Amino acid sequence: MFKVLANAFKVKDIRDKLFYVLLVLLIYRLGTMIPLPGIDMQMLDFALYSGVAGDPTFFTLMMGGGYGSIMAMGIMPYITASIIMQLLTVAIPKLEQIQKEGEEGRKRISQYTRRFAVGLAILQGGATVFSYVNNPMGVPLFNNPGMLTYIMATVAMVTGTIFIMWLAELLTEHGIGNGASFLIFANILSGLPMALQGLLLLLDGDNLLMGIGSIVLIVVLFALVIAFVVLVSEGERRIPVQYSKKMAGRMFGNNSYIPIKVNIAGVMSIIFAVSLLQFPAQLAMFFPTNEVLQTISVYLAFTHWVGVVLYVVLIFLFTFFYTSFAINTVEMAENMKKNGGFIPGIRPGKPTSDFVQRIVDRLSWIGAVCYSMIAIVPILFQQFTGIQAGFGGTTLLIATGVALEFIKRLESQLLMRHYKGFLE
């Protein structure tokens, strides 16, 4: 990986793109430090450090963790809108037809996604401001409480989200890789200093050797989880496909294969599961006096066995749900048949689609088991040892996936410029 990065800096075009990515990420992180108009940062800091505003979670990490800033919502409204539009594109024939219209159709879908994201940002921004006003401390976190102040704060948060969407599109167009993924990656890395600080606190106890042993154990677990994440992310099943071409009365064979990932849904299944489980907790923050919501949020927390079990169940459900939309085995078999392709030993048509579907289902089971293990190992480690790991399996999964995709794109950029020797 480091060799690929070093070689990439030797190419001027790629080096300019890398500096462009760093510049945009720097602007984004600086934007998370701009406070909302009228917010009382001292009171907000007190609420955060006293635990009133809730502990930082994976959801808040993806949002950016910039409490009280104009970019507090991060890229999450756009990500949520993109996921919903992907599902609606498959469920609604009209949207599916628009998507198949080529570049113009994709532009229309992107425009719908942006508008939907703005609508979600308005709702989420208003709910966030409402949570600042009606916090458990009973004291508004604004210097001049009033409807005009709340409206200005909501507009500022929505504007910040729109600006982040623009930055993500700039990264996608002029950078290397998906811009939204880079922004989420930057949010996760922003929590690294706090995690390191938590590890160093283990050395402040009376037993120094026990603190050192705890740090070594956490580092080993960290390395094992990353290795497992890489193994699962790179794992795929290759289905052999043979194409026949007829030229001048002679048949020529052309062998190929269909790569199918171990977990086609990827991290989307975990994102869906986390969002659904943390929704009652978000409502409980907005209504701190509601005992029913408070009780439900306690049971659905990852510190309770009910929350952990439901977490795993939802990962399995959303894995198969998302995979059913992501891969259309019937269409795959039809396209293969039209192009003169077939799987050796399998008849074209329905037998081919059934064969591919069986493979997809088996891989989905394996992927769901692996991703569940990645998600709950740090949680179980913390509960049984009492040691704060400082990281989550989901954050490692996203960070490692983005890093792997980034390296692959760098390699492809180098290969396009005929620098094949760099990759040897």
Side-chain angles (χ1 to χ4, degrees), residues 299-364:
Y299 277 97
L300 294 184
F302 294 149
T303 54
H304 199 282
W305 68 269
V306 175
V308 175
V309 172
L310 286 177
Y311 189 25
V312 174
V313 172
L314 288 176
I315 289 176
F316 273 84
L317 291 177
F318 283 123
T319 295
F320 285 93
F321 175 75
Y322 190 88
T323 302
S324 64
F325 288 103
I327 289 189
N328 189 338
T329 57
V330 176
E331 183 178 353
M332 184 184 300
E334 291 179 355
N335 292 335
M336 197 183 306
K337 185 177 180 180
K338 291 178 181 179
N339 295 321
F342 62 93
I343 299 174
I346 306 297
R347 289 182 298 174
K350 190 176 185 301
T352 298
S353 65
D354 293 341
F355 176 77
V356 176
Q357 187 63 53
R358 285 196 301 270
I359 294 177
V360 170
D361 292 340
R362 292 172 183 173
L363 290 178
S364 297

Side-chain angles (χ1 to χ4, degrees), residues 63-265:
M63 291 173 63
Y67 296 98
S69 73
I70 62 174
M71 296 186 179
M73 292 187 295
I75 194 67
M76 278 308 297
Y78 181 73
I79 295 295
T80 305
S82 300
I83 295 173
I84 295 176
M85 284 301 300
Q86 287 181 11
L87 299 178
L88 291 179
T89 301
V90 179
I92 301 178
K94 181 64 176 178
L95 292 177
E96 185 178 5
Q97 182 181 357
I98 293 176
Q99 191 180 34
K100 292 181 178 180
E101 292 178 356
E103 186 65 25
E104 291 298 324
R106 285 189 291 270
K107 287 182 179 180
R108 289 180 62 185
I109 295 294
S110 298
Q111 191 66 23
Y112 295 155
T113 304
R114 296 189 193 99
R115 294 173 182 175
F116 192 21
V118 173
L120 290 177
I122 294 174
L123 293 176
Q124 187 174 340
T128 304
V129 173
F130 180 81
S131 67
Y132 289 160
V133 176
N134 298 275
N135 58 84
M137 293 172 53
V139 179
L141 302 179
F142 290 90
N143 293 319
N144 298 309
M147 185 57 64
L148 182 60
T149 302
Y150 304 152
I151 293 177
M152 289 178 60
T154 303
V155 172
M157 294 185 72
V158 174
T159 304
T161 298
I162 295 174
F163 180 71
I164 292 172
M165 290 166 51
W166 180 62
L167 291 180
E169 293 185 358
L170 286 180
L171 282 177
T172 303
E173 183 178 356
H174 303 289
I176 300 175
N178 185 276
S181 299
F182 270 108
L183 295 182
I184 296 177
F185 184 69
N187 293 338
I188 294 175
L189 291 185
S190 66
L192 185 60
M194 186 178 296
L196 294 177
Q197 184 180 1
L199 290 180
L200 294 178
L201 290 177
L202 297 175
L203 300 176
D204 294 338
D206 297 332
N207 195 333
L208 182 61
L209 291 178
M210 182 175 294
I212 295 175
S214 300
I215 293 177
V216 172
L217 184 61
I218 291 174
V219 171
V220 171
L221 179 63
F222 181 83
L224 290 177
V225 172
I226 287 184
F228 190 64
V229 167
V230 174
L231 181 65
V232 175
S233 299
E234 294 296 298
E236 65 180 18
R237 167 70 187 276
R238 297 182 176 181
I239 302 176
V241 179
Q242 189 171 3
Y243 292 92
S244 59
K245 295 182 179 180
K246 189 173 182 179
M247 297 179 59
R250 299 176 60 186
M251 298 294 294
F252 292 89
N254 184 17
N255 296 327
S256 181
Y257 62 87
I258 301 175
I260 300 180
K261 291 289 185 180
V262 172
N263 192 344
I264 300 165

